[in-house]
Amino acid sequence: MNIILLGPPGAGKGTQAARLQAARGMVQLSTGDMLREAVAAGTPIGLQAKVVMERGELVSDAIVSALIGERLDAASEQGAIFDGFPRTRAQAEALDLLLSERGRRLDHVIELAVDEDELVKRIVGRFSCARCGAGYHDSFRPTQVPGVCDVCGSTEFKRRRDDNEQTVRTRMVEYRAKTAPILPYYDARDLVRRVDGMASVEQVGAEIDAILDGTV
Ligand code: ADP
Ligand code: ADP
Ligand code: ZN
């Protein structure tokens, strides 16, 4: 099974993708994570992407489509969760080609719908474990023991440079202008399932599970 998690910044895509990866052995393919790795490694792609990401704008379709293509083969057995990709019509078309070349298809496009005021709160409170990458939130999903990662026990955490109110506004404009318009592309194929992303992490997870299990 191959699914897309589609939604604005902070909608809960990464949180739900990590859950599905752990629970179902699917592979999370996050272009945001791939780009941040490239930035940290200082590769040519990373150097190009860094400034664009810090402005909150979209990295070029060619770069992100190539990154997905490289990782897709590794995810061929278990099924892929596309997290933060595609973000434009051109990327959606590139993904169709990448999948069909491998004899695979899309099963669901899950849209996570969240109000803009809530998105800003989620983004500015977001942090993650510097060792294992587990995701947290200052108020909505704190660690059980303050300052200690629930998963690996590390006491080092990090925050994204682009998770500030100013950049989030630009990212939302980009989402509305370029990403939301790809929903009709998938709607025409009857692939879109809308989930209320304002619900708790557990409830959103249960709704996604029901879609994947075909019980709704
Ligand atoms: P969020 O968690 O806010 O949805 P991501 O981690 O997915 O953010 O992406 C962070 C940044 O990386 C984006 O603002 C954009 O600059 C870049 N990026 C990630 N995925 C893509 C993509 N598919 N196309 C273009 N740019 C992307
Ligand atoms: P995205 O990948 O769509 O940008 P994340 O999964 O990183 O979003 O979630 C953004 C922030 O909101 C994180 O700090 C996360 O812990 C928190 N969060 C995710 N889902 C929910 C939810 N349903 N309710 C409250 N907070 C949430
Ligand atoms: Zn950890």
Side-chain angles (χ1 to χ4, degrees), residues 8-15 83 118 122 125-127 135-137 140-141 197 199-201 204:
K13 305 179 296 292
T15 301
D83 163 9
E118 171 76 8
R122 287 194 188 175
R126 167 160 66 184
F127 65 98
Y136 297 99
H137 187 280
F140 305 144
R141 206 169 177 78
S200 69
V201 171
V204 174

Side-chain angles (χ1 to χ4, degrees), residues 27-94:
V27 177
Q28 175 183 7
L29 295 175
S30 158
T31 40
D33 286 348
M34 293 172 200
L35 289 167
R36 280 184 289 279
E37 280 166 27
V39 170
T43 64
I45 282 179
L47 293 175
Q48 224 179 308
K50 187 171 189 281
V51 271
V52 180
M53 293 170 79
E54 281 175 7
R55 283 201 298 262
E57 294 168 7
L58 293 186
V59 173
S60 81
D61 292 331
I63 287 180
V64 293
S65 302
L67 286 173
I68 282 284
E70 282 168 22
R71 304 290 177 98
L72 199 51
D73 291 316
S76 64
E77 302 293 306
Q78 308 93 323
I81 308 156
F82 298 99
D83 163 9
F85 178 93
R87 266 175 150 96
T88 64
R89 173 70 181 249
Q91 291 177 25
E93 288 169 1

Side-chain angles (χ1 to χ4, degrees), residues 140-184:
F140 305 144
R141 206 169 177 78
T143 56
Q144 269 154 13
V145 178
V148 182
C149 175
D150 296 352
V151 178
C152 78
S154 168
T155 54
E156 304 279 333
F157 296 90
K158 59 184 182 190
R159 285 176 197 264
R160 282 168 46 180
R161 285 172 71 103
D162 59 344
D163 277 353
N164 57 74
E165 184 153 0
Q166 177 58 44
T167 306
V168 166
R169 296 288 175 192
T170 306
R171 286 153 65 193
M172 283 176 188
V173 170
E174 290 281 72
Y175 180 79
R176 278 199 301 267
K178 297 173 185 163
T179 307
I182 67 180
L183 281 162

Side-chain angles (χ1 to χ4, degrees), residues 10-27:
K13 305 179 296 292
T15 301
Q16 296 299 334
R19 207 193 111 263
L20 288 171
Q21 175 164 273
R24 295 179 182 246
M26 296 170 79
V27 177

